[in-house]
Amino acid sequence: MTRQRVIVLGAGVSGLTTATTMALAGWDVVIHAAEGPAQTTSALAAAIWHPFYQAPDFVYLERARQTYATMRRLSTDTSSGVLMRVLTEYFQHDAGTPWWAECASDLRRLPEADVPSRFACAYRMAVPVADTATYLGYLMHMFFELGGRFVQQRVERPVSLLDAADYVVNCCGYGSRQFGDRELSLSRAIVLRARRDTTVRGCFIDDSDPAAPTYIVERDNDIVLGGTADPEMTSTVIGQRQIEDIVRRCTQLCEGVAALHVIEARTGFRPMRGVVRVARDERYPHLLHNYGHGGGGFTLSWGCANDVLRLAGTTTAS
């Protein structure tokens, strides 16, 4: 019996996860991408499971729940690059337990004495964190092991590939703007990488300021400090003041940051959209879309991939 064929556009976390999910379900999958995983926006991400700036939403919650469960399973494989880390999140206003907290494990509210006075409350929980280089490589290796193929090629028109496959899945992130989606915009992120140090253990987040999300992410090989969310900013120039501001804000969350040695400052560009687009194309029913995740690419990756699989008429492989 001939397997159904799908072409996935894009090799970031959404493209790789979608391609791997469909390969696991028995599809014949080919990835077309202008760049390999190491050159994508995903490679620059802090890659912590967390719903940044997301209002309560049932669909988002279910996708995040599926991703959390899958990445937690992957954390038991030492080669995956995924680890479970303790996250402490601080809140300026006490709105009770975070709406998405049911996805996470070991959730507890910190005693008031352990919360800095400028915050109303804080919660601590276990969340998946990925070392992006290792994790993206792991997904690519899994994809190849399942018989997937990779074609390094920029695709100008997704519909031009419809005759070569049963479905084409667009996972091109901001690249989808050239395909006609004017709802997409860019948000520049500045992140710092620091050497691991015993002064910082776990992860810390305060995303109360939409323009300046503050986060510390302990990964296997480094510590990521962030960040910024600069709408429509495309400059890759990073000033010393911006670096100092990120370090200052992170130090307020965890005093141990002051002892870290910053080894790199990087810029990345999040593909922002009012609503994540995981849908069938309005004009071409065999063209599917999976993009516009903003800062939630890793948080939503497996859940969105499962939704793409259902749109193609197949149940999930798990």
Side-chain angles (χ1 to χ4, degrees):
M1 181 177 177
T2 303
R3 292 190 300 163
Q4 288 185 290
R5 187 180 188 192
V6 61
I7 296 174
V8 174
L9 308 181
V13 68
S14 295
L16 283 180
T17 308
T18 299
T20 301
T21 297
M22 299 193 82
L24 282 167
W27 286 69
D28 178 9
V29 189
V30 182
I31 294 175
H32 286 236
E35 302 170 318
Q39 286 75 48
T40 64
T41 297
S42 297
L44 300 175
I48 183 171
W49 183 98
H50 183 272
F52 282 99
Y53 303 134
Q54 176 62 42
D57 178 271
F58 175 78
V59 174
Y60 190 107
L61 182 67
E62 182 54 33
R63 290 169 177 165
R65 188 200 322 275
Q66 292 176 29
T67 303
Y68 185 100
T70 300
M71 294 190 74
R72 180 162 189 161
R73 288 198 300 271
L74 291 177
S75 72
T76 63
D77 183 346
T78 57
S79 66
S80 71
V82 180
L83 295 169
M84 297 302 295
R85 293 291 193 205
V86 175
L87 165 65
T88 303
E89 180 160 11
Y90 297 94
F91 295 89
Q92 299 281 353
H93 305 285
D94 187 355
T97 304
W99 64 273
W100 45 263
E102 63 185 85
C103 298
S105 61
D106 305 322
L107 176 78
R108 67 183 181 91
R109 183 180 173 119
L110 293 190
E112 187 174 338
D114 294 340
V115 180
S117 59
R118 67 183 182 281
F119 296 109
C121 63
Y123 285 83
R124 187 164 286 166
M125 66 216 79
V127 300
V129 172
D131 179 271
T132 50
T134 303
Y135 181 59
L136 295 175
Y138 176 86
L139 290 179
M140 187 64 112
H141 179 74
M142 186 189 303
F143 173 66
F144 285 144
E145 286 286 300
L146 292 165
R149 285 158 290 152
F150 178 84
V151 177
Q152 188 158 351
Q153 176 187 46
R154 182 177 299 278
V155 176
E156 303 295 339
R157 295 181 65 251
V159 295
S160 67
L161 298 174
L162 287 173
D163 289 339
D166 295 282
Y167 283 94
V168 173
V169 186
N170 167 29
C171 300
C172 289
Y174 187 72
S176 300
R177 189 172 171 85
Q178 71 177 9
F179 305 150
D181 189 341
R182 299 304 170 190
E183 292 186 44
L184 275 167
S185 62
L186 279 180
S187 175
R188 185 184 69 167
I190 297 176
V191 296
L192 312 178
R193 287 180 58 243
R195 290 199 180 100
R196 283 178 55 84
D197 192 286
T198 56
T199 61
V200 175
R201 285 290 180 262
C203 305
F204 305 84
I205 290 177
D206 168 22
D207 67 354
S208 56
D209 184 347
T214 303
Y215 50 89
I216 304 159
V217 180
E218 180 197 7
R219 304 197 302 193
D220 202 23
N221 298 308
D222 58 16
I223 295 173
V224 177
L225 308 176
T228 65
D230 306 316
E232 297 299 339
M233 184 78 75
T234 58
S235 171
T236 58
V237 176
I238 302 173
Q240 186 60 33
R241 286 187 179 181
Q242 293 167 310
I243 293 173
E244 291 171 355
D245 178 64
I246 292 172
V247 171
R248 177 188 60 80
R249 286 189 278 119
C250 289
T251 302
Q252 289 178 337
L253 288 188
C254 175
E255 292 182 358
V257 169
L260 296 181
H261 177 67
V262 174
I263 55 178
E264 186 181 16
R266 305 186 293 184
T267 56
F269 300 93
R270 305 181 184 100
M272 307 301 293
R273 198 174 186 273
V275 178
V276 175
R277 190 181 186 191
V278 180
R280 192 181 305 277
D281 192 84
E282 295 85 352
R283 295 180 60 191
Y284 304 96
H286 287 266
L287 173 60
L288 309 178
H289 299 284
N290 179 14
Y291 65 85
H293 306 90
F298 283 85
T299 304
L300 299 173
S301 54
W302 290 97
C304 287
N306 288 336
D307 282 348
V308 169
L309 199 58
R310 282 188 283 271
L311 286 172
T314 309
T315 55
T316 58
S318 57

